[in-house]
């Protein structure tokens, strides 16, 4: 479990269970020890966190009555794209991994497809797009998604594949990885897989969803997404549930917490105990912290 407060990592804990009472008790203990009285709690919309009576937020409000819950906006956008894919392809599995046939095809043949895409690339680097970050302003799968959004845009408009970096290994197929769903949809269009349905899906991603996704560090125009003529009914209901209809400045997200988990996986082999890992992560993250990943 990762806890950040005021932009800084204050705790990294290994929990004995994923039950809401275990999570809430640990959070209260940490905040009490550090004399912190939180005003806002940002987390995803999983029932463990949001259950009306026994969720983590409900339990925290017993100790901190004035705390306000804010759902992670990236998690909401992930739910929107999840429902969008289901509206086009149907629901395939409750597996923790994405199981659509076109995704399996890309993942299983990644080396061949990577070569195929790179062969199509011209020597000119992928240009930037207005309203989107520069290619060097994101890292890892965020950067891959950003490059794919731009690549498909220019493939449609200029009929060429500009040069950009593709990873050696296939993208993650985990449902938990926020970027994976859109990444595979965009790759499918470049590879001409399931052309008609993928084209429709990517039109929604390019024209509506991606602008919100990459706007979360600055501002998001939820009205653009909500009033899209392509958004699925369930995707729209997700926005309605959380009253997301207008422009929002610096919307709350768990993006920084996700970065901590990625950094932890990179450094865990260097630590003999979890307590050592926590100390190292707190020092490293707070000294090196840059919201550029």
């Amino acid at each position: 479990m990762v806890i950040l407060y005021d932009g800084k990592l204050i705790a990294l804990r290994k929990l004995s269970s994923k039950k809401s009472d275990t999570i809430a008790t640990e959070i209260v203990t940490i905040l009490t020890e550090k004399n912190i009285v939180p005003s806002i709690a940002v987390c995803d919309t999983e029932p463990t966190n949001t259950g009306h009576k026994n969720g983590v937020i409900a339990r925290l409000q017993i100790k901190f009555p004035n705390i306000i819950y804010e759902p992670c906006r990236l998690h909401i956008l992930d739910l929107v794209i999840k429902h969008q894919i289901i509206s086009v392809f149907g629901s395939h599995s409750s597996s923790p991994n994405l199981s659509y046939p076109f995704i399996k095809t890309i993942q299983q043949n990644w080396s061949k497809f990577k070569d195929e895409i790179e062969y199509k690339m011209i020597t000119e680097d992928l240009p930037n797009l207005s309203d989107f970050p520069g290619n060097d302003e994101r890292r890892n799968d965020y950067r891959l998604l950003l490059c794919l959004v731009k690549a498909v845009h220019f493939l449609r408009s200029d009929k060429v594949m500009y040069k950009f970096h593709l990873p050696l290994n296939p993208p993650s197929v985990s449902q938990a990885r926020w970027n994976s769903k859109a990444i595979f949809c965009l790759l499918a269009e470049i590879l001409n897989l399931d052309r008609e349905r993928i084209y429709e899906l990517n039109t929604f991603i390019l024209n509506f969803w991606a602008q919100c996704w990459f706007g979360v560090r600055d501002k998001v125009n939820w009205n653009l997404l909500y009033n899209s003529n392509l958004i699925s009914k369930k995707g729209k209901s997700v926005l309605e549930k959380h009253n997301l209809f207008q422009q929002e400045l610096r919307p709350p997200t768990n993006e920084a917490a996700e970065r901590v988990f990625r950094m932890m996986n990179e450094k865990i082999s260097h630590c003999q105990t979890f307590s050592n890992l926590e100390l190292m992560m707190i020092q490293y993250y707070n000294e090196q912290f840059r919201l550029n990943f």
Side-chain angles (χ1 to χ4, degrees):
M1 178 180 68
V2 168
I3 300 180
L4 294 104
Y5 179 77
D6 197 24
K8 293 185 177 181
L9 176 63
I10 63 170
L12 178 66
R13 298 294 163 85
K14 188 175 183 179
L15 300 174
S16 58
S17 81
K18 296 181 180 180
K19 294 180 178 180
S20 62
D21 58 339
T22 302
I23 298 171
T25 298
E26 188 67 22
I27 292 173
V28 169
T29 299
I30 292 166
L31 296 179
T32 301
E33 288 175 352
K34 297 181 180 296
N35 295 316
I36 293 173
V37 179
S39 57
I40 297 175
V42 181
C43 61
D44 63 37
T45 60
E46 293 298 317
T48 300
N49 292 326
T50 60
H52 180 66
K53 292 184 177 180
N54 297 314
V56 172
I57 299 300
R59 293 176 184 275
L60 290 179
Q61 288 171 335
I62 296 173
K63 176 67 176 178
F64 308 108
N66 296 322
I67 195 170
I68 297 172
Y69 162 63
E70 286 287 356
C72 168
R73 303 308 196 253
L74 287 172
H75 184 76
I76 288 173
L77 285 166
D78 184 60
L79 289 175
V80 169
I81 195 65
K82 173 186 174 181
H83 290 307
Q84 196 72 25
I85 295 173
I86 290 173
S87 73
V88 175
F89 286 96
S91 182
H92 270 257
S93 170
S94 59
S95 163
N97 291 334
L98 299 166
S99 59
Y100 293 96
F102 75 91
I103 292 178
K104 287 185 176 180
T105 298
I106 295 172
Q107 203 240 359
Q108 292 170 0
N109 299 279
W110 176 247
S111 180
K112 181 186 77 170
F113 284 149
K114 178 177 180 291
D115 290 343
E116 182 181 322
I117 296 171
E118 290 175 339
Y119 181 76
K120 295 177 181 178
M121 292 179 182
I122 62 174
T123 56
E124 187 177 344
D125 287 337
L126 183 64
N128 284 324
L129 273 176
S130 60
D131 299 326
F132 284 91
N135 298 335
D136 58 348
E137 294 177 31
R138 294 294 186 273
R139 300 178 185 174
N140 304 315
D141 52 350
Y142 284 88
R143 182 169 184 170
L144 176 59
L145 175 57
L146 177 62
C147 287
L148 287 169
V149 166
K150 296 175 182 180
V152 173
H153 169 87
F154 287 114
L155 183 61
R156 290 185 177 190
S157 63
D158 298 359
K159 309 302 180 186
V160 295
M161 178 62 60
Y162 289 102
K163 185 174 68 175
F164 65 97
H165 175 74
L166 286 170
L168 180 63
N169 297 316
S172 170
V173 294
S174 171
Q175 297 260 24
R177 292 297 289 270
W178 285 333
N179 296 297
S180 293
K181 301 175 185 70
I183 283 173
F184 277 105
C185 291
L186 294 163
L187 283 169
E189 180 165 338
I190 294 173
L191 295 166
N192 206 27
L193 300 176
D194 208 329
R195 180 69 183 179
E196 185 174 338
R197 291 191 291 181
I198 286 293
Y199 191 91
E200 175 191 342
L201 187 52
N202 285 340
T203 298
F204 172 77
I205 290 173
L206 295 175
N207 295 342
F208 304 102
W209 182 86
Q211 292 186 43
C212 294
W213 183 262
F214 286 107
V216 292
R217 296 185 188 174
D218 182 21
K219 61 183 178 182
V220 173
N221 183 4
W222 294 106
N223 186 56
L224 173 73
L225 190 61
Y226 181 78
N227 289 319
S228 163
N229 62 329
L230 297 177
I231 190 170
S232 69
K233 289 183 179 179
K234 286 193 175 180
K236 199 167 189 174
S237 70
V238 170
L239 300 180
E240 290 172 346
K241 180 179 179 180
H242 298 288
N243 298 311
L244 297 174
F245 308 112
Q246 300 176 347
Q247 181 170 285
E248 184 178 31
L249 299 177
R250 296 305 299 266
T253 75
N254 283 340
E255 191 176 8
E258 196 219 6
R259 185 188 192 194
V260 173
F261 279 118
R262 276 208 312 269
M263 292 166 59
M264 180 185 71
N265 289 332
E266 294 170 0
K267 296 185 175 297
I268 196 167
S269 61
H270 302 293
C271 295
Q272 294 181 340
T273 66
F274 195 87
S275 59
N276 287 342
L277 175 64
E278 181 186 33
L279 291 173
M280 182 177 72
M281 284 298 304
I282 289 175
Q283 180 179 9
Y284 179 79
Y285 181 87
N286 292 337
E287 287 180 356
Q288 303 295 324
F289 178 72
R290 298 287 187 277
L291 196 57
N292 179 28
F293 51 100

